[in-house]
Amino acid sequence: MRRDELEGAVREALSHQVAVARPLSADPAGQAIRRAKRIRRRRTGAGLALAAVATVLVSTGMAQLGGDPGRQGKPVVVIGDPNPSGRPIPSATVTAAAPTSETPVDVLAGATLIGVSGGRLELPGVGPAERAHLLPSGGWLVVGAPTTAGRSLWVAQHDGLVQVLLAGAGSIVVAPDGRQVAWRDGTGLLVAGVVGTQLIGPVRTPVPGKAEPVRFIGDNVLVRLDPDGPGHTLWRPGVGELTAGSDRSTLNVYGALPDGRLVGQVSTDDPAKTCLAVLDPKRDLKPVLTGCGPELSPDGAGAVSGDGRWLLVNGWVGKTSGSLLVDLRRLGQDLTAVPAGPPVSGEVAWRTESEATYVDGAGKLVQVNVDQVRTGKVAEPVSVPGVRPGDRPVLVTG
């Protein structure tokens, strides 16, 4: 790209205002599929050629990442197209809904989005995916599976546009509301806002060793100091650089309670034993309430229900592994866990305060009903309709 072309792109970016996102509809995937049918075939080119330029689009223009002395290896590519309407881009294709292929949640299998109504939306160039997250505007953010070149992040809009936002990144996490993204880049950790097809206003901080982001806690980023050991800290972007706190016992964090405190797995003096704890994010994740009993898996898979009552987490009952249902209101008392289904693989989507869905190790959907599990009825996995061999389904969360 010549210098005059780059300057022109900057002026173009500054001249466009960001549109306000519309509220979600009741069936985002279904709405997207219907809208995609109306997309004209003019979007057939290779608009991802911008990825050849290792740049980051910020709210004030373009900044080169390749010269960062703290980076190691190839630079991360961050792409933001200020005016996609005038560029050739790949568009989605649609397959009509099959009446018998409904799923309890939206699912991404390979490059195919399967909606709750059974409709299928092909997203060219996406995948293989590790996670998929619904955007406030009705599109999706898709986090790629790790490769030797790093991870990628795609945005797929409801009008069929598919575009790369990140390429060659380390760990990538998306905020629950889909409005922010954090990722590891060399020796740095970055956070940026998501607006349309752009990452805007990135903020960067140095990170030590193998530290990586694991989730958003409000507007803050929870960072695991070492993937192979306990210890987390919170980074508050815009307030200061990341500093390692005093926590050296937290192994995994599963989510937040309504009062903002966190639920996590902590290590004990016994290397073979872990416990559940309520953690105070205002005091370096200090445990304020601890309960031991069920044997928990160290894989970190699990999630807290929206009302903070239930935790679905991997563990063992005797020698049998599976997902366990824990009543968090009894944490610190007679903590017990009941078998809920096969082990969780990937994300858990709490659809209501008493119903959760996840994918097991065989790529099948598991629907957990709290009332049924409490009566001893373990959830049974079912196949995702229409998934091609080799395409592992990923739940759409958010």
Side-chain angles (χ1 to χ4, degrees):
M1 178 181 291
R2 299 194 310 271
R3 181 181 182 87
D4 59 339
E5 292 177 329
L6 180 61
E7 292 176 350
V10 173
R11 294 192 188 96
E12 187 179 10
L14 295 174
S15 67
H16 287 80
Q17 297 180 346
V18 179
V20 178
R22 294 189 294 261
L24 292 176
S25 64
D27 182 8
Q31 182 185 48
I33 292 167
R34 290 191 296 271
R35 289 184 179 181
K37 291 180 179 179
R38 300 194 294 267
I39 295 299
R40 290 177 293 177
R41 296 300 179 183
R42 61 185 173 87
R43 291 179 169 176
T44 57
L48 299 183
L50 285 173
V53 183
T55 59
V56 56
L57 180 67
V58 298
S59 56
T60 57
M62 294 275 188
Q64 187 68 255
L65 284 181
D68 184 351
R71 283 200 41 78
Q72 298 177 355
K74 296 181 180 179
V76 171
V77 178
V78 186
I79 303 173
D81 190 347
N83 185 17
S85 62
R87 303 182 188 273
I89 51 180
S91 61
T93 56
V94 176
T95 302
T100 60
S101 64
E102 294 184 0
T103 60
V105 294
D106 294 342
V107 174
L108 180 65
T112 303
L113 180 75
I114 304 174
V116 293
S117 61
R120 300 165 66 87
L121 182 65
E122 299 296 331
L123 303 176
V126 169
E130 185 176 63
R131 297 188 305 278
H133 196 93
L134 185 67
L135 286 169
S137 59
W140 301 268
L141 284 177
V142 181
V143 178
T147 68
T148 55
R151 282 181 169 88
S152 296
L153 177 69
W154 297 273
V155 60
Q157 292 189 318
H158 51 64
D159 64 357
L161 181 150
V162 178
Q163 184 168 315
V164 178
L165 289 182
L166 288 172
S171 297
I172 301 173
V173 294
V174 179
D177 61 5
R179 298 183 186 276
Q180 295 185 88
V181 173
W183 71 96
R184 172 86 188 236
D185 172 25
T187 59
L189 173 63
L190 291 92
V191 169
V194 181
V195 178
T197 59
Q198 300 182 60
L199 296 180
I200 65 170
V203 179
R204 183 185 184 104
T205 185
V207 288
K210 297 186 290 184
E212 59 184 27
V214 291
R215 68 169 60 235
F216 275 85
I217 305 296
D219 289 329
N220 304 321
V221 182
L222 182 70
V223 179
R224 185 162 187 167
L225 300 175
D226 186 342
D228 300 320
H232 289 70
T233 189
L234 281 173
W235 175 44
R236 296 170 173 83
V239 176
E241 294 187 349
L242 180 144
T243 57
S246 59
D247 172 48
R248 294 297 181 273
S249 65
T250 304
L251 290 164
N252 296 292
V253 174
Y254 303 113
L257 299 175
D259 61 8
R261 296 181 300 170
L262 309 178
V263 176
Q265 179 189 23
V266 295
S267 59
T268 67
D269 294 335
D270 182 355
K273 183 179 182 181
T274 61
C275 299
L276 284 176
V278 174
L279 311 170
D280 189 347
K282 298 180 180 179
R283 293 192 289 169
D284 284 338
L285 304 177
K286 180 180 179 180
V288 295
L289 187 62
T290 304
C292 303
E295 186 177 357
L296 304 177
S297 170
D299 61 12
V304 178
S305 62
D307 61 352
R309 170 73 186 275
W310 305 103
L311 170 66
L312 193 65
V313 62
N314 280 345
W316 289 269
V317 175
K319 295 183 179 181
T320 303
S321 64
S323 62
L324 307 177
L325 184 68
V326 179
D327 187 350
L328 294 176
R329 291 185 182 177
R330 301 186 65 85
L331 185 63
Q333 303 175 23
D334 299 327
L335 181 62
T336 58
V338 295
V344 175
S345 176
E347 299 291 307
V348 175
W350 280 94
R351 300 164 52 211
T352 68
E353 295 176 351
S354 61
E355 294 180 320
T357 303
Y358 63 89
V359 176
D360 70 1
K364 295 185 177 182
L365 280 182
V366 182
Q367 302 179 61
V368 174
N369 181 286
V370 169
D371 294 334
Q372 293 179 357
V373 167
R374 295 178 70 189
T375 63
K377 186 177 181 180
V378 177
E380 296 292 336
V382 296
S383 298
V384 181
V387 174
R388 293 184 290 266
D391 286 345
R392 181 173 180 80
V394 174
L395 297 188
V396 177
T397 59

